[in-house]
Amino acid sequence: MITELVVAILVVMGGVFCFAAGLGVLRLPDLLIRMHASTKAGTLGSGLILVAVAVAFAESTVIARAVAAILFLLLTAPVAAHLIGRAAFRTGVPMVDRTRCEPGVAEALRARGPEKAPE
């Protein structure tokens, strides 16, 4: 009884965060802000749903897979968001007027040109 209640709460909370992430991607005006919404809320929502799966099944193999998936999300989502944001900034994707950058940073990043792969 208590386990089902905990699982239900975790799934609903995860669903709310995933919905907020999707809504943020649709409604927010800027690429950088959209990325923030999708990575933060999407990772938290997916993590909560995976915790609910681990609690519901309560088997060591399912728990191990859920923990591995959560760790994978926590390690890859911020890195992917950073690289997508950096690529968008360097290629000149238009940002909203409210998006600010430190003086000189935009010019320095754009002046460096494309990075070369190590040989």
Side-chain angles (χ1 to χ4, degrees), residues 32 51-52 58 68 81 83 85 98 113 115-116 119:
L32 297 176
V51 169
L83 292 176
R98 297 184 312 247
E115 294 179 9
K116 296 181 181 177
E119 296 178 14

Side-chain angles (χ1 to χ4, degrees), residues 4-91:
E4 289 85 8
L5 183 63
V6 169
V7 169
I9 290 171
L10 287 171
V11 168
V12 168
M13 286 175 49
V16 167
F17 277 106
C18 287
F19 178 75
L23 192 62
V25 169
L26 288 175
R27 301 282 301 171
L28 292 173
D30 196 343
L31 175 92
L32 297 176
I33 301 169
R34 287 181 191 146
M35 266 187 346
H36 183 75
S38 67
T39 55
K40 304 297 182 204
T43 302
L44 181 60
S46 301
L48 287 171
I49 292 171
L50 285 167
V51 169
V53 167
V55 170
F57 288 101
E59 296 176 6
S60 60
T61 57
V62 175
I63 293 171
R65 288 179 185 164
V67 168
I70 291 169
L71 288 175
F72 181 76
L73 281 171
L74 291 175
L75 291 174
T76 58
V79 174
H82 173 77
L83 292 176
I84 291 170
R86 182 177 173 156
F89 183 78
R90 292 187 74 180
T91 57

